[in-house]
Amino acid sequence: MTLIRGPGDRGVVTVADPVRTRLAAAGAAVVTAGAGLGLRAVAAGDVAKYGGDALYTVLIHTLVVLTVPRVRPVTAAGSALAFSWAVEFLQLSNVPAELSARSSVARLVLGSTFNPPDLFWYAVGAAAGWLVHTAAGSFLSCRPKGRA
């Protein structure tokens, strides 16, 4: 796919194909999940909790890219942050606590108790996801194809 050139552009750029983007996002999701599980295994307390919060949002970011491979980094980060915050605010009700009591998967995905500092760490995760997505997009998606 060729992008439309703007004024001052010297070359034509190509956009990475969705299959490559999805493969990269799937790999990033596996690495992120592994990092989250590894963090819980080696760390305790606030480091494990808040690091896990940030990684949760990074994982959601990778899943957004996996689903919509041409999504802009800022849109993917905003979507991941909105989802993470929605889950956190849902914890103000009893629904996640009840589901978490019955299922360890629900506990991992929904948590159980509202904690205001989590909101900040989700934003940190969204910023990290945006940064990596932007860097990867520069590396994978847009390369000079030739001179006009």
Side-chain angles (χ1 to χ4, degrees):
M1 174 179 187
T2 302
L3 293 176
I4 298 172
R5 294 181 352 185
D9 284 347
R10 299 274 182 212
V12 177
V13 294
T14 59
V15 174
D17 95 67
V19 172
R20 258 178 63 186
T21 302
R22 282 192 168 112
L23 286 173
V30 169
V31 168
T32 303
L37 294 172
L39 182 63
R40 285 217 175 251
V42 300
D46 288 347
V47 171
K49 179 174 181 7
Y50 297 126
D53 288 346
L55 287 169
Y56 177 86
T57 303
V58 171
L59 179 61
I60 300 303
H61 184 118
T62 64
L63 297 176
V64 169
V65 176
L66 186 63
T67 307
V68 186
R70 290 194 172 109
V71 66
R72 293 176 42 211
V74 69
T75 304
S79 299
L81 181 60
F83 180 84
S84 298
W85 281 358
V87 168
E88 188 68 26
F89 283 113
L90 181 65
Q91 293 171 358
L92 290 169
S93 74
N94 290 332
V95 173
E98 290 174 12
L99 292 173
S100 295
R102 294 184 197 136
S103 165
S104 57
V105 173
R107 185 170 186 269
L108 286 172
V109 174
L110 300 175
S112 60
T113 309
F114 179 77
N115 185 27
D118 289 352
L119 300 172
F120 170 76
W121 291 103
Y122 294 140
V124 169
W130 171 83
L131 184 65
V132 171
H133 187 176
T134 300
S138 296
F139 179 73
L140 295 174
S141 299
C142 299
R143 291 182 248 150
K145 180 94 173 168
R147 298 262 175 211

